[in-house]
Amino acid sequence: MFVQEYEVNDAKTHKGYDLPRLTCQELFAKFGLEKGTIDFIGHALALYDSDTYLAKPSDDLIARCKLYGESLARYGKSPYLYPLYGLGELPQAFARLAAVYGGTYMLHKPVNKIVYDDAGQACGVVSVGEDGKEAYAKCKMIVGDPTYFPDKCRNTEKVVRCIAILSHPITPGNEPSAQIILPQAQIGRQNDIYVFCVSSSHCVAAEGKYIAFVSTITTRNDVVNADGSIAAKVAESELAQGLKLLGKVDAFFYDSYDVKVPLEDGNKDKCFISRSYDPTSHFELVSEDVMNMYERVYGKPLDLSKTMVDLTAQDE
């Protein structure tokens, strides 16, 4: 009830709690919550990926929990949205919108070289034209992921992931999709394990088939063999608690990669670089990264209170 009724600008709903000064751990203690409940709230509702949030101000915790509750109330059985035909629909939607505003998409084209001017700022990309010859595209800035800028990024952690094909749902209620978070403290790990499942109802699998993802952060250095292949036994060991939830698996594939982050914000060289995908399957940190990149590029936060209908020519 406290979370539902809490409003930042209404002191009556604060119940005497000064959340910007009160840590999450202190707030939980005041409500007498036990460890299992704290793990659930912090990791499954607020979507924190570690327990470091416990020492931080609790106003962000409450905002996250309110967002979860409001999303659940709006969309019914789940607070999450997943695009039909998979995440590939998102770049397709972007391509269509870009075309409306005069943008051009070049698919299946390599980036052979990034060109910099005398000031050290990105000014173009060398690729291959339709005639197979070298082609040069000018630009004022470049936005890309770390794979295009290996010398401008650093490794922070390593993800290990299993992609599994099933012939059955993974939930007791036989729902066509599922999002499961196993909090680190409850499975004896340093990081949460994420389990995600979708099916033919999302137009991403054949009728009667399900696709599940199990992922986490690993601290082991032997998950990738010297030849670049995945050490399946090591990956299986790291994901064991999540894999148990899948039941019988028709086929599975393991993957592992380093999470890379940019060394600079991009304003100096005009190369605005995203983070690598983290192990979470709810894309909370990816969304935050997109918002962060927008602010780095434009020098102001993205205002999602305005829709395309509301935007003026200056806003656009």
Side-chain angles (χ1 to χ4, degrees), residues 22 32 161 200 268 273 290 305:
L22 198 67
R161 175 178 286 115
S200 58
K268 183 178 179 180
I273 309 169
V290 171
S305 65

Side-chain angles (χ1 to χ4, degrees), residues 43 69 87 100 118 143 167 252 255:
H43 293 259
L87 296 176
V100 171
D118 294 338
V143 178
S167 295
F252 55 83
D255 184 28

Side-chain angles (χ1 to χ4, degrees), residues 76-221:
K77 295 182 178 180
S78 172
Y80 301 107
L81 293 176
Y82 190 83
L84 293 178
Y85 300 99
L87 296 176
E89 286 299 293
L90 298 181
Q92 286 197 56
F94 179 82
R96 290 190 288 270
L97 186 61
V100 171
Y101 286 86
T104 301
Y105 249 66
M106 296 174 63
L107 302 178
H108 302 293
K109 299 296 182 183
V111 176
N112 294 333
K113 181 181 179 182
I114 295 175
V115 181
Y116 298 88
D117 60 22
D118 294 338
Q121 296 185 338
C123 60
V125 172
V126 176
S127 184
V128 177
E130 295 299 324
D131 57 1
K133 298 180 180 180
E134 186 175 88
Y136 173 67
K138 295 181 180 180
C139 66
K140 295 181 179 180
M141 69 178 73
I142 298 176
V143 178
D145 71 37
T147 58
Y148 296 101
F149 307 94
D151 58 332
K152 295 180 181 290
C153 300
R154 62 180 176 87
N155 297 338
T156 59
E157 50 197 8
K158 185 182 292 290
V159 172
V160 59
R161 175 178 286 115
C162 175
I163 302 174
I165 300 176
L166 317 172
S167 295
H168 58 84
I170 65 174
T171 59
N174 294 328
E175 287 83 3
S177 63
Q179 171 81 261
I180 303 171
I181 300 174
L182 305 178
Q184 56 194 57
Q186 296 189 11
I187 56 177
R189 291 183 54 84
Q190 295 180 4
N191 302 95
D192 295 352
I193 292 181
Y194 301 88
V195 182
F196 174 67
C197 184
V198 285
S199 63
S200 58
S201 65
H202 304 89
C203 303
V204 296
E207 190 69 31
K209 294 295 182 179
Y210 299 77
I211 300 177
F213 300 80
V214 183
S215 54
T216 189
I217 291 293
T218 179
T219 57
R220 295 186 59 166
N221 297 320

Side-chain angles (χ1 to χ4, degrees), residues 27 29 56 69 99 115 120 124 179 185 199 209 212 250 262 270 296 315:
L27 181 64
K56 297 179 180 179
V115 181
Q179 171 81 261
S199 63
K209 294 295 182 179
D250 296 344
K270 298 303 177 184
R296 283 191 278 142
D315 291 327

